[in-house]
Amino acid sequence: MAYEREKENAAAAAIEFVEDGMTLGLGTGSTAKFFVELLAEEIADGLMVKGVPTSEDTRRLAESLGVPLLPIEHVDRIQLTVDGADEVDEKAQLIKGGGAALLREKIIANASDLMMVIADPSKQVEVLGAFPLPVEVTPFGYTITAKKVYDALRASGVSKPRIEVRNGSGSKPLVTDGGNYILDCHCSIIPDAPEAARLLSAVPGVVEHGLFIGMARTVIIGQDVGAAVIEY
Ligand code: 5RP
């Protein structure tokens, strides 16, 4: 896996922010996996925390490592969520959803006192959009929704979006943990991410999109040795 050391160093720096008694949002993806693994080691050494997983993959991982979990319905406060990102710009605006977990990731990040992003340096960009933007849509009417998503992206200033339904196994659409499909929107550049987010949220059939605007307050970029912690 590329940037393995940088991902692990970002996760290790995030562990420093964890305190006894916290309820933690547990992100999804290869960087978040390092965090869950390191957290499990701390728990084995006596740390008392509970986790709220952002996907079934993370739930299975955390359970297998003995991380105590809380069902989302029993959570009244999440002090800290630690999650990866597909892209992060200089304003801590993110593209997420490469692992198809963006809906639960956004619900849990939004419910948290602090969302912390952990990433390797390849995720830092000047302008969002090189990574295809995931948009989660209901299966019902998804071809119509895709056209409206195209219109919304165009109206936000994306010049030539190209939209693909993400495939799972075989050539069938991938089905998310929430039972929905993912449209991967190839934009190259998203010149006005807040406007794109606003317009996408208004499209009927769009359940959620992978633009996380104004949510991350701490970004940790892992380095070959150590990590850079950026506060917003
Ligand atoms: C999953 C996500 C992940 O956080 C994102 O894809 C980054 O993953 P990785 O750490 O494997 O690069 O948004 O939906």
Side-chain angles (χ1 to χ4, degrees), residues 157-202:
V158 175
S159 68
K160 279 186 191 161
R162 184 171 60 79
I163 298 178
E164 281 178 342
V165 181
R166 193 181 300 181
N167 279 337
S169 55
S171 54
K172 292 211 174 111
L174 177 141
V175 177
T176 67
D177 287 343
N180 301 307
Y181 292 170
I182 297 280
L183 303 176
D184 284 317
C185 304
H186 299 255
C187 298
S188 299
I189 288 175
I190 301 173
D192 187 344
E195 180 66 356
R198 193 182 69 76
L199 292 172
L200 287 170
S201 292

Side-chain angles (χ1 to χ4, degrees), residues 12 151 207 220:
D151 292 344
V207 180
I220 300 183

Side-chain angles (χ1 to χ4, degrees), residues 32-137:
K33 182 169 184 276
F34 279 118
F35 178 79
V36 176
E37 288 168 349
L38 292 172
L39 186 68
E41 288 175 18
E42 298 291 325
I43 289 168
D45 286 346
L47 179 74
M48 303 280 281
V49 291
K50 289 197 170 142
V52 187
T54 55
S55 64
E56 291 304 306
D57 279 349
T58 298
R59 183 181 59 72
R60 281 188 287 272
L61 173 69
E63 278 176 354
S64 74
L65 295 171
V67 175
L69 299 179
L70 271 179
I72 187 78
E73 296 78 13
H74 295 180
V75 169
D76 50 22
R77 185 171 173 209
I78 301 171
Q79 281 84 0
L80 171 66
T81 284
V82 179
D83 202 350
D86 299 299
E87 286 188 347
V88 50
D89 74 7
E90 286 160 358
K91 295 180 189 157
Q93 301 181 131
L94 315 174
I95 287 182
K96 285 187 51 57
L102 65 104
L103 175 59
R104 294 186 187 185
E105 289 173 336
K106 198 178 273 189
I107 291 171
I108 289 172
N110 188 54
S112 305
D113 298 350
L114 172 64
M115 182 198 188
M116 177 177 286
V117 170
I118 50 174
D120 66 71
S122 73
K123 307 297 181 60
Q124 287 183 295
V125 297
E126 269 179 36
V127 183
L128 298 177
F131 189 91
L133 173 66
V135 177
E136 184 158 348
V137 298

